[in-house]
């Protein structure tokens, strides 16, 4: 048995065991990892798929399209740009620093989508960070870091 076959067998067993415990919800981007888990879970029941994102975002489109392909129930949780920014600010205040700063495309695209939708100008604090990350020069949310 190859490494891939062993991995797939282990994933199938783990998902089957989880599905046997009752209703299952999957945070679903529609990407490779959540797509594989959802497809395997669909073999053992009807997992509920949930995708969170800003209206019109890549994650919501991909989540919907992939859920349709898998023929699994899917729920969109669309946030407004203001909700994303408010949640981000709460995280900043609560921890004393920005914790959503990430190189992960989904976190970056969500924050940048919020920024673009608000058409916000960059904050002074983001200027030094945006020089290192020119693609996000106008994003006041995830590209700034508390000093």
């Amino acid at each position: 048995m190859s490494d891939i076959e062993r991995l797939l067998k282990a994933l199938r067993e783990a998902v089957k065991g989880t599905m046997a415990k009752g209703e299952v919800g999957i945070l679903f981007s529609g990407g490779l990892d959540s797509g594989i888990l959802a497809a395997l879970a669909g073999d053992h029941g009807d997992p509920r798929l949930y995708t969170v994102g800003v209206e019109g975002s890549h994650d919501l489109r991909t989540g919907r399209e992939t859920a349709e392909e898998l023929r699994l129930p899917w729920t969109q949780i669309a946030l407004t740009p203001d909700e994303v920014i408010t949640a981000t600010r709460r995280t900043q205040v609560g921890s004393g620093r920005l914790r959503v700063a990430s190189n992960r495309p989904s976190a970056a695209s969500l924050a940048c989508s919020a920024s673009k939708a608000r058409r916000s100008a960059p904050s002074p604090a983001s200027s030094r960070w945006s020089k290192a990350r020119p693609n996000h020069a106008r994003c006041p949310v995830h590209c700034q870091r508390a000093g």
Side-chain angles (χ1 to χ4, degrees):
M1 183 182 292
S2 73
D3 289 343
I4 292 174
E5 290 168 330
R6 282 195 295 276
L7 175 62
L8 189 54
K9 181 180 178 188
L11 279 172
R12 282 189 177 127
E13 289 172 7
V15 169
K16 182 179 178 181
T18 300
M19 292 298 294
K21 294 177 183 178
E23 287 189 345
V24 171
I26 298 173
L27 293 174
F28 188 70
S29 69
L32 182 63
D33 53 350
S34 64
I36 289 171
L37 292 176
L40 292 173
D43 291 342
H44 302 286
D46 283 325
R48 304 290 185 239
L49 309 179
Y50 299 91
T51 304
V52 179
V54 174
E55 190 65 46
S57 68
H58 172 76
D59 284 345
L60 292 180
R61 280 191 309 275
T62 304
R64 183 190 72 247
E65 291 167 1
T66 307
E68 288 171 359
E69 287 283 327
L70 295 172
R71 295 188 174 119
L72 292 172
W74 176 77
T75 300
Q76 166 181 297
I77 302 170
L79 302 175
T80 67
D82 285 338
E83 288 172 320
V84 173
I85 291 169
T86 298
T88 303
R89 286 187 179 139
R90 266 192 243 132
T91 302
Q92 278 182 294
V93 171
S95 67
R97 63 185 171 146
L98 183 60
R99 296 179 136 233
V100 295
S102 173
N103 289 328
R104 294 180 58 214
S106 60
S109 65
L110 183 64
C112 286
S113 295
S115 176
K116 288 175 188 170
R118 278 186 49 144
R119 291 177 172 76
S120 298
S123 67
S126 69
S127 299
R128 80 173 177 277
W129 182 241
S130 65
K131 289 176 188 166
R133 304 274 306 261
N135 293 339
H136 303 288
R138 302 222 300 269
C139 179
V141 181
H142 86 283
C143 296
Q144 66 178 341
R145 292 187 175 179

